Amino acid sequence: MMLKLGFLSFSIFVFVTVSNYNLASAQEEIQCLGQDLNMTQAQMGMVTACMKEAGIVTIWKIPMEKINCFGICILEKKSLLNDKGGLDHDRIYKYIMDVMKPDKVKKPIVDGVEACIKDHGDKVRQPNDPNCLAFMEVGICVHDVFLGQCVEG
């Protein structure tokens, strides 16, 4: 089963966020509603590193079995987790406000991510969880939030 990007999750996440895997042919992967995100080369490099680690070709279609650990990788590299393995709300809010474009998607994404955390909790990293299952519910919810806001159609 394939998932399309959504976030905080950053596909928080995640999602967050996007790839410089092959910028010339994947320009849409660093955009939301056709606008480039405010991502630095370092931020794009973090996403690319996680994509390579997980064997993912595009963030817009992530295989179900890879989305959890990919999301955790992004959160860790972007310092969006607290010491207890939970989502750092303040850092995530700041990241969304700094990176997301166009401005009209910022509030709906923040609201959607907060709803995901309220519904599914914010603990996404657990010890002895090699498949990153603790991330699944909130991660998929966030992923869907980003998809809903950033993909036209």
Side-chain angles (χ1 to χ4, degrees), residues 32-35 104 147-153:
C32 180
L33 296 178
Q35 289 193 21
K104 72 179 184 177
L147 251 186
Q149 292 299 316
C150 289
V151 177
E152 295 178 286

Side-chain angles (χ1 to χ4, degrees), residues 121-137:
D122 67 355
K123 184 94 170 167
V124 296
R125 184 181 54 195
Q126 301 276 345
N128 303 316
D129 184 12
N131 295 319
C132 312
L133 296 177
F135 176 83
M136 187 179 327
E137 288 185 12

Side-chain angles (χ1 to χ4, degrees), residues 43-110:
Q43 289 169 326
M44 288 187 280
M46 292 173 192
V47 175
T48 300
C50 290
M51 288 176 67
K52 286 180 182 178
E53 246 178 68
I56 294 170
V57 177
T58 172
I59 60 164
W60 298 109
K61 292 183 180 177
I62 301 172
M64 180 69 144
E65 68 274 7
K66 295 183 178 189
I67 194 168
N68 296 333
C69 290
F70 173 72
I72 293 294
C73 180
I74 295 290
L75 292 171
E76 288 174 340
K77 288 196 183 304
K78 295 186 182 221
S79 300
L80 298 175
L81 294 177
N82 61 36
D83 294 339
K84 296 177 183 175
L87 302 172
D88 186 313
H89 297 253
D90 292 337
R91 287 184 184 165
I92 290 168
Y93 176 79
K94 181 179 180 346
Y95 182 81
I96 292 169
M97 298 311 280
D98 289 347
V99 171
M100 293 309 301
K101 286 279 189 174
D103 288 340
K104 72 179 184 177
V105 303
K106 291 178 181 183
K107 182 166 177 17
I109 288 176
V110 167

